[in-house]
Amino acid sequence: MGRVKTQFVCRHCGYRVSKWLGRCPGCQEWESLEEETLPSASASRRGAPVMAGRPRPLSEVAVEDLGRLSTGLEELDRVLGGGLAPGAVTLLSGEPGVGKSTLLLQAAAGLAGRGKRLLYITGEESAAQVRLRAERLSLDLSRLWVLAETRVEAIAEALDNSQWDVAAVDSIQTLTSEGLAGAAGSPAQVRESAARLSALTKGRGLPLWLVGHITKDGSIAGPKLLEHLVDTVLYFEGDRERSLRLLRSFKNRYGSVNEIGVFEMTGSGLGQVVNPSALFLSERPAGASGSVVAPIMEGQRPLLMEIQALVSASPLAMPRRQALGVDSARVGLLAAVLEKKVRLKLFDRDIFVNVTGGARITEPAADLAIVAAMAGSWADTPAPDSTVFIGEVGLAGEVRTVAHLEARLREARKMGFTRAVVPPAEAKKVAAEGLKLHSVKSVSQLLREHLGFK
Ligand code: TYD
Ligand code: MG
């Protein structure tokens, strides 16, 4: 027996140091380091799969057909990279109440519909509560399997037969492993429980879901500390006031990290939003000045978003520049371009810019639309009907090329738009059936040709 070794682990980000510090060097959180005893080497190796390895050329490595399982939820499958891969460990992170348990239960039902059995292990709620939720979701109760258990060894025993196709733990922060000090939710318990379960399920090729709560108060260890340990990290986001939920992959060993899935929380569970553009545009006012549509890339997926601007005379010595859903520094910069390059008087105006639907845009490809919205509102001229605006705007007022133009145009066409204002070089290059392309070189050309400026 060697000496008992200890280390200090940050509850938030998992950063490890050998001695206690008041502030975590990883995430700068105060008083977040907790002491833990390192498991002995033999204990931590137990259960880990042994790789039978000899060096060989890659060409001799067999790539087995991954045989992914569909969850029946297309939005979820796409974010996963085409369904659940065998043995993949997926961490589903999100704030309490966002809908993680609901998503898992609906996925369980989808799998059941395909003849696959998911064992839903609940440590958070009682089996009866899970049943109530499933009833609310009108799912077929006889095909859903639940186990209310928080001891990792008992869970391992339950998984120790071949009747399961998928295992799900809700949540990882409720589990405890034997022989480990610390309460459920402590960094050591969270990490060790996840490691033991994933070693077990990987050995059997069983996909494993781990739900992880993101909490602000730091009373339990956050899911961040598991991110290096799992194959796929999904974030489920959305605010409580609005029903929209976005599922993003942050890390994915089995697919792209650029996919997003869009859901809507309804009275009877999560509905898939197959056509998010329609949702973002659903209440768009017809013929109103200052409302402009731009196709924005969310990962690989184009989405049409409505950008609104309100430019009005300001009673203030320092007029307001406020932006929601776009970077306000960007809005300030584009306003300066309008002042300088087309002599639009904005210095005595309040400027408000908003992306409807609570969406966020970080792409410069929205510049042209923001400029069109501001200029349109200033002049009280509606942007031309059925037109989308695409392009980055430089400080000289020039309109610049953006990536993924074809995908953006395709989405615009799909949503019934007939015209697109695009950067100069692009109009010739892309095929855009059914869509009339108008290229503009500069902001002043945009204003003259499309917003009725003289
Ligand atoms: P839940 O899945 O329990 O969230 P999490 O597991 O991430 O904590 O979902 C919680 C919220 O969703 C709760 O506030 C109620 C709401 N909800 C609905 O609006 N409709 C439904 O059909 C269900 C099941 C939940
Ligand atoms: Mg839950």
Side-chain angles (χ1 to χ4, degrees):
M1 289 297 281
R3 275 178 304 136
V4 176
K5 278 199 177 171
T6 64
Q7 62 178 352
F8 295 86
V9 181
C10 173
R11 231 181 291 123
H12 294 275
C13 68
Y15 198 95
R16 296 170 200 218
V17 282
S18 56
K19 63 177 200 303
W20 192 83
L21 296 169
R23 190 176 198 180
C24 169
C27 63
Q28 313 301 326
E29 194 69 36
W30 290 98
E31 314 248 340
S32 64
L33 294 171
E34 279 182 13
E35 183 168 19
E36 69 177 47
T37 310
L38 289 175
S40 65
S42 60
S44 63
R45 263 188 225 125
R46 205 187 324 136
V50 178
M51 301 277 186
R54 70 181 164 83
R56 58 200 158 144
L58 272 179
S59 57
E60 282 176 21
V61 176
V63 181
E64 70 261 55
D65 175 16
L66 280 179
R68 292 177 186 249
L69 296 180
S70 167
T71 64
L73 298 169
E74 234 175 83
E75 294 289 302
L76 173 59
D77 284 351
R78 202 190 43 252
V79 176
L80 287 169
L84 287 166
V89 182
T90 306
L91 177 66
L92 179 61
S93 288
E95 290 183 12
V98 72
K100 300 179 296 298
S101 304
T102 307
L103 184 67
L104 264 191
L105 211 52
Q106 288 185 233
L111 284 158
R114 285 160 174 71
K116 302 291 176 194
R117 273 192 185 173
L118 179 147
L119 180 59
Y120 185 98
I121 299 148
T122 172
E124 200 106 331
E125 295 165 308
S126 66
Q129 283 170 312
V130 175
R131 175 184 173 140
L132 287 175
R133 180 182 286 113
E135 278 176 356
R136 180 169 176 189
L137 298 169
S138 316
L139 304 178
D140 181 355
L141 301 183
S142 65
R143 297 212 279 178
L144 296 174
W145 294 79
V146 64
L147 171 70
E149 183 56 76
T150 56
R151 293 166 302 150
V152 169
E153 289 66 33
I155 293 170
E157 210 167 292
L159 290 175
D160 198 21
N161 68 47
S162 54
Q163 65 169 316
W164 311 112
D165 300 296
V166 183
V169 174
D170 190 356
S171 69
I172 187 66
Q173 285 123 330
T174 58
L175 300 195
T176 50
S177 285
E178 244 168 47
L180 209 64
S186 68
Q189 287 288 6
V190 167
R191 214 177 33 242
E192 192 61 22
S193 302
R196 288 188 191 174
L197 280 182
S198 68
L200 177 91
T201 52
K202 270 198 186 305
R204 299 170 168 272
L206 208 63
L208 171 69
W209 282 97
L210 301 173
V211 168
H213 287 301
I214 299 173
T215 56
K216 294 259 152 67
D217 70 356
S219 53
I220 52 173
K224 260 215 152 351
L225 103 177
L226 295 179
E227 287 180 352
H228 66 281
L229 204 135
V230 301
D231 300 305
T232 302
V233 178
L234 304 182
Y235 278 96
F236 206 27
E237 314 170 328
D239 48 291
R240 281 161 193 262
E241 284 71 40
R242 293 187 46 89
S243 55
L244 213 60
R245 301 283 184 272
L246 296 183
L247 186 68
R248 296 176 189 278
S249 74
F250 175 75
K251 161 181 174 180
N252 194 349
R253 287 190 183 140
Y254 297 99
S256 151
V257 290
N258 289 323
E259 292 295 349
I260 66 161
V262 185
F263 296 86
E264 199 175 5
M265 184 60 96
T266 70
S268 53
L270 289 160
Q272 305 190 70
V273 180
V274 181
N275 199 343
S277 290
L279 193 81
F280 286 121
L281 299 181
S282 58
E283 288 162 13
R284 194 173 171 235
S289 69
S291 157
V292 167
V293 175
I296 300 302
M297 298 304 291
E298 279 283 353
Q300 298 300 310
R301 186 182 205 185
L303 287 178
L304 297 192
M305 294 187 187
E306 180 190 350
I307 296 170
Q308 295 184 331
L310 187 66
V311 177
S312 60
S314 176
L316 306 172
M318 280 277 282
R320 280 171 290 190
R321 302 277 186 265
Q322 278 182 5
L324 276 176
V326 284
D327 180 16
S328 50
R330 192 109 203 138
V331 169
L333 185 150
L334 296 170
V337 169
L338 279 171
E339 290 236 55
K340 177 81 181 174
K341 297 297 163 188
V342 292
R343 312 236 167 268
L344 206 64
K345 273 171 67 183
L346 290 169
F347 65 86
D348 57 355
R349 307 294 166 103
D350 286 330
I351 301 178
F352 302 96
V353 175
N354 178 39
V355 182
T356 63
R360 272 206 70 77
I361 299 177
T362 50
E363 272 202 302
D367 288 356
L368 200 65
I370 297 172
V371 166
M374 288 195 292
S377 175
W378 185 89
D380 207 12
T381 313
D385 273 348
S386 310
T387 304
V388 294
F389 293 80
I390 306 167
E392 178 176 349
V393 172
L395 286 181
E398 82 279 19
V399 177
R400 299 165 155 251
T401 306
V402 303
H404 307 294
L405 192 68
E406 299 216 50
R408 297 175 203 263
L409 294 173
R410 222 180 304 121
E411 180 70 11
R413 199 166 55 243
K414 201 174 93 195
M415 296 303 299
F417 285 77
T418 53
R419 303 170 76 240
V421 180
V422 298
E426 303 300 321
K428 287 171 230 96
K429 278 194 257 164
V430 297
E433 240 170 88
L435 210 60
K436 191 150 173 37
L437 301 187
H438 302 268
S439 61
V440 289
K441 283 204 287 288
S442 63
V443 167
S444 67
Q445 190 187 358
L446 167 79
L447 268 50
R448 265 185 287 113
E449 293 180 7
H450 300 282
L451 289 161
F453 279 69
K454 292 282 154 4

